[in-house]
Amino acid sequence: MNRVIHFEIHAENPERAIAFYTDLFGWKFDRWGAQEYWIVYTGSKSDPGIDGGLVKRRGTIDGTAVLAYVCTIDVDALDASVARAVALGGGIALEKMPIPGMGWLAYCKDTEGNIFGMMQSDPSAK
């Protein structure tokens, strides 16, 4: 069975979003790498739940940008999983891309238009 391993918040103004979630939930944020990306720590490792990320939104709020929390599911074979999602009536929202040192990520849409991520672990991804 494949588990949800990560969520992602897309934000037009990352600093504003960080302040909001810090004040509301007490979440901690650490910048990751050179890109506009922050790791979101939602609690201690001993508590149930997952951590996530916050990324600067790509695009404008005009119907094409991601306006959601995106949950990412761990998969063994990303290309095959994306193909299967499409075959089952879903679609591709964001083509496969590398997450350097982590793996390969793609966003798909389900049959209801909801966006979700799938990630294949690959430390050599560039």
Side-chain angles (χ1 to χ4, degrees):
M1 208 179 304
N2 301 94
R3 298 201 53 177
V4 175
I5 58 167
H6 186 76
F7 69 84
E8 197 166 77
I9 302 169
H10 292 242
E12 178 181 345
N13 182 326
E15 291 76 18
R16 179 176 62 207
I18 288 168
F20 174 81
Y21 287 106
T22 298
D23 290 347
L24 182 61
F25 298 124
W27 290 355
K28 306 277 188 243
F29 293 79
D30 284 334
R31 184 89 180 235
W32 185 74
Q35 61 274 16
E36 291 185 288
Y37 198 93
W38 292 260
I39 302 297
V40 181
Y41 299 99
T42 63
S44 72
K45 295 288 182 198
S46 61
D47 293 332
I50 61 173
D51 294 326
L54 185 137
V55 63
K56 182 160 177 68
R57 181 177 292 124
R58 296 178 183 168
T60 58
I61 301 176
D62 61 359
T64 60
V66 177
L67 302 173
Y69 283 32
V70 176
C71 289
T72 300
I73 295 92
D74 181 37
V75 298
D76 292 328
L78 182 59
D79 293 333
S81 296
V82 169
R84 178 101 172 111
V86 170
L88 291 170
I92 297 172
L94 183 63
E95 297 286 339
K96 176 181 172 180
M97 64 179 181
I99 305 300
M102 300 291 289
W104 298 93
L105 173 71
Y107 286 171
C108 289
K109 288 187 179 182
D110 66 14
T111 56
E112 312 312 305
N114 298 305
I115 295 175
F116 63 96
M118 292 188 284
M119 186 165 186
Q120 176 184 332
S121 179
D122 179 0
S124 67
K126 296 181 191 177

